[in-house]
Amino acid sequence: MDGNVPRGIFTLPLELYLCFFQELHPPDLLSLGQTCKLIRNTVNQRHVWEAALRASCRLNQVFEPSYEPIEELSLGKLQRVALEPWRRSASFAPQSSRKIWAMWGKGSTASSDTSRTETKLEGEMYDGMSFEEVYVVPGGRYVLGMTEKYVCLWDMGQTGRASWDSGSPKLLHASIMWATTGSVTWSMSAPTPVNVSSFRFATCEDDLCFRVFEVGPMPDSCAIREIAKFQGVSPELAPDDFWVQEDRLICRFDEGLLVWDFVKSEYIAIPSRGKVSMITTNGNLVVAWEGSNTGVWTIPRLKPLEDPSSTLHELLPSNFTNGIDLDTIRDDDHHAPRRQIHLPSAWYCYPPHALEYATLHQVGIQKKTIVERYLLNIAGGARACSVKTLVSSSQPMDYIHAPQYQKPYRMICGGLATMVDRILSPTRGYKTGFIQSVGDGALQRDADKIEYVFKEIRAVVFQDFSYCPVTGRAAYIPLDPPSIDLANWTALFTSFLSFIFGQYWVDTTISMIPIKGPRVYGIFSMVASL
């Protein structure tokens, strides 16, 4: 046979190559393009990297409209943004791993220097009103901010197209939603995706009026539209938390749960008894944690919504029947310290028939912290204690670098990432930065190799913050540093608490003490490697 005639894989038509390549992750495409000139030319087809970017968005739970319109991105920028999650994740890895990305030549991660720029996001002036809560939609393009009177949405511009330094130091909101006249908005839920181009969130006003909003399809429409409203909750109830799950709004009270399907106009009020450290829902199941143990219950069948003017007295039953008894969750591990439970951000989509979470607990006499990542099997439905699988366990880490109390974590390339903001002491100052797991993910099962790397960004105390690890952008509401007198009082108070409760309890709790002061709302981007 003639040796110059292509054989085997090289005889396949271009269409088959494209079908194969569109199923690969961006780093695999990068490696494949280095094999030979023929494959490299095929890999560098534009629609291959468009598919790679969309696959990267699905894998890392990123809002795809952050990069729209994709057609305006050059091929080089398209490759860069598709590979950005892996490049940013590799920047936390040891030096040997960074060399692989430095060879690519489109953003070396060898330098440990971090540059940053800030853009102040402005809302409507209303009697000197300040922002209370903030959320960055994964992808870093859209930001939600809440005050007592309104919710703002900012569009930072197409992610990956222009340099962050070229933007304006100030940015006005793209849309705004005002609270009901005479009411005060006291809380806002985290945004959750509806489809690839829209998301939803909810607010609660001081008269226990719950409002659900939808934004999209984006980027064509950034208007905040109210799609449902629920009023009539008894003023005797004390709301703790609420979140949007598909077409349902779930509200947690001290007395129980309210599940409201705002599309079918159905609801159910589930009384509860006992206390737990964390509770959430997945599909038609309620999952709760106490210590290291869990409990799973099935949500009863919903019924048509009654007159909105009526109050939900079912959450205050005279006798406990047909409810959730949280006291059935027993923490059998009495020898280990009580663990904090951390759930993924509301944007995260759980695996089928499972629920992911992480625990944070203290080990050893040196007061070190360990993060353990679990996958809870809920395929069997409701039962007292569901089966859990340990995915990874971190090495002991300093408590000042550990995740904050009950703060959700983000996902990036299968690992965990979150932001840390801690008030240490008047002499040691503040610790603000990012932590990222190294060696975690579906392919890594050796628990001894899981590490968390902390990178400090600046010394600032936050009222609230939200972080997108894929882009390195964080929105924050900083507080002015405490005064000398307040700092000295805090140090004396923490010394007393550490004597009574132990140093670890103080270290994980004192960061929640509010410090009053003027607030400024801003967003900054990590334009270099973290």
Side-chain angles (χ1 to χ4, degrees), residues 105-233:
K106 295 182 181 292
S108 172
T109 61
S111 174
S112 59
D113 295 334
T114 299
S115 61
R116 55 182 174 266
T117 58
E118 296 190 11
T119 298
K120 182 179 180 182
L121 305 184
E122 298 183 328
E124 297 286 339
M125 295 302 297
Y126 190 87
D127 298 334
M129 187 167 296
S130 58
F131 286 92
E132 302 290 340
E133 295 184 41
V134 60
Y135 292 102
V136 175
V137 175
R141 176 171 180 172
Y142 301 102
V143 182
L144 278 172
M146 187 207 79
T147 72
E148 292 181 352
K149 289 296 182 181
Y150 59 82
V151 174
C152 276
L153 173 69
W154 292 270
D155 183 354
M156 309 297 298
Q158 184 183 16
T159 304
R161 184 183 180 189
S163 172
W164 183 262
D165 296 317
S166 64
S168 171
K170 294 183 179 181
L171 184 67
L172 293 176
H173 55 81
S175 60
I176 193 169
M177 179 280 303
W178 290 89
T180 305
T181 303
S183 298
V184 173
T185 303
W186 67 267
S187 187
M188 175 176 64
S189 70
T192 59
V194 181
N195 48 49
V196 294
S197 60
S198 303
F199 66 84
R200 292 170 177 166
F201 67 94
T203 62
C204 181
E205 299 178 354
D206 53 0
D207 54 354
L208 288 187
C209 173
F210 294 95
R211 303 171 67 188
V212 181
F213 302 91
E214 184 170 321
V215 185
M218 305 177 83
D220 298 329
S221 174
C222 289
I224 304 176
R225 309 183 305 275
E226 180 178 312
I227 60 174
K229 185 175 181 179
F230 186 89
Q231 205 165 9
V233 181

Side-chain angles (χ1 to χ4, degrees), residues 23-330:
E23 298 298 322
L24 298 178
H25 293 162
D28 298 327
L29 283 175
L30 182 64
S31 301
L32 191 62
Q34 298 173 349
T35 56
C36 68
K37 184 177 180 179
L38 175 62
I39 294 182
R40 180 180 181 87
N41 291 336
T42 307
V43 166
N44 283 337
Q45 297 285 332
R46 178 179 179 86
H47 45 283
V48 171
W49 284 98
E50 289 181 356
L53 176 57
R54 293 188 173 93
S56 177
C57 291
R58 292 192 299 270
L59 183 64
N60 292 285
Q61 312 284 328
V62 174
F63 195 40
E64 191 174 306
S66 300
Y67 303 98
E68 295 288 346
I70 295 179
E71 296 76 15
E72 294 185 3
L73 294 174
S74 65
L75 178 60
K77 291 180 179 179
L78 190 62
Q79 292 172 330
R80 180 178 61 82
V81 295
L83 287 160
E84 182 68 10
W86 287 269
R87 186 194 70 83
R88 193 167 296 278
S89 183
S91 70
F92 282 82
Q95 189 68 25
S96 59
S97 299
R98 300 183 187 183
K99 295 180 181 178
I100 300 176
W101 295 94
M103 292 171 58
W104 183 36
K106 295 182 181 292
S108 172
T109 61
S111 174
S112 59
D113 295 334
T114 299
S115 61
R116 55 182 174 266
T117 58
E118 296 190 11
T119 298
K120 182 179 180 182
L121 305 184
E122 298 183 328
E124 297 286 339
M125 295 302 297
Y126 190 87
D127 298 334
M129 187 167 296
S130 58
F131 286 92
E132 302 290 340
E133 295 184 41
V134 60
Y135 292 102
V136 175
V137 175
R141 176 171 180 172
Y142 301 102
V143 182
L144 278 172
M146 187 207 79
T147 72
E148 292 181 352
K149 289 296 182 181
Y150 59 82
V151 174
C152 276
L153 173 69
W154 292 270
D155 183 354
M156 309 297 298
Q158 184 183 16
T159 304
R161 184 183 180 189
S163 172
W164 183 262
D165 296 317
S166 64
S168 171
K170 294 183 179 181
L171 184 67
L172 293 176
H173 55 81
S175 60
I176 193 169
M177 179 280 303
W178 290 89
T180 305
T181 303
S183 298
V184 173
T185 303
W186 67 267
S187 187
M188 175 176 64
S189 70
T192 59
V194 181
N195 48 49
V196 294
S197 60
S198 303
F199 66 84
R200 292 170 177 166
F201 67 94
T203 62
C204 181
E205 299 178 354
D206 53 0
D207 54 354
L208 288 187
C209 173
F210 294 95
R211 303 171 67 188
V212 181
F213 302 91
E214 184 170 321
V215 185
M218 305 177 83
D220 298 329
S221 174
C222 289
I224 304 176
R225 309 183 305 275
E226 180 178 312
I227 60 174
K229 185 175 181 179
F230 186 89
Q231 205 165 9
V233 181
S234 172
E236 301 175 356
L237 302 179
D240 292 330
D241 194 13
F242 59 97
W243 57 92
V244 177
Q245 177 189 298
E246 297 177 349
D247 295 337
R248 293 181 175 184
L249 177 68
I250 296 92
C251 310
R252 178 188 176 188
F253 300 87
D254 289 341
E255 299 81 3
L257 286 177
L258 169 64
V259 181
W260 169 40
D261 189 320
F262 47 82
V263 173
K264 297 180 179 179
S265 191
E266 297 178 341
Y267 83 106
I268 190 67
I270 312 171
S272 65
R273 178 171 59 192
K275 297 292 183 180
V276 289
S277 55
M278 184 68 69
I279 191 169
T280 189
T281 55
N282 187 7
N284 203 41
L285 298 176
V286 177
V287 186
W289 289 265
E290 180 58 31
S292 60
N293 290 353
T294 59
V296 183
W297 291 268
T298 301
I299 297 176
R301 184 177 180 180
L302 276 61
K303 59 184 179 181
L305 184 65
E306 300 173 358
D307 185 354
S309 62
S310 63
T311 57
L312 300 178
H313 293 292
E314 297 171 65
L315 290 179
L316 296 171
S318 56
N319 56 350
F320 186 81
T321 56
N322 298 325
I324 298 177
D325 190 355
L326 301 173
D327 290 332
T328 58
I329 304 178
R330 300 295 180 183

Side-chain angles (χ1 to χ4, degrees), residues 348-371:
Y348 178 66
C349 297
Y350 291 111
H353 310 299
L355 191 146
E356 183 177 318
Y357 67 98
T359 63
L360 184 70
H361 62 104
Q362 175 189 357
V363 295
I365 59 176
Q366 296 181 344
K367 310 299 183 183
K368 294 290 185 177
T369 300
I370 281 185
V371 179

Side-chain angles (χ1 to χ4, degrees), residues 480-509:
D480 281 353
S483 63
I484 299 295
D485 293 337
L486 179 58
N488 292 335
W489 178 89
T490 302
L492 180 63
F493 181 61
T494 54
S495 299
F496 171 75
L497 292 179
S498 63
F499 176 77
I500 300 297
F501 299 102
Q503 185 64 36
Y504 176 78
W505 183 90
V506 173
D507 294 333
T508 56
T509 307

Side-chain angles (χ1 to χ4, degrees), residues 423-444:
I423 306 174
L424 301 181
S425 68
T427 57
R428 299 174 65 188
Y430 317 109
K431 277 285 186 181
T432 303
F434 304 94
I435 64 171
Q436 166 73 44
S437 63
V438 177
D440 204 349
L443 301 179
Q444 177 64 56

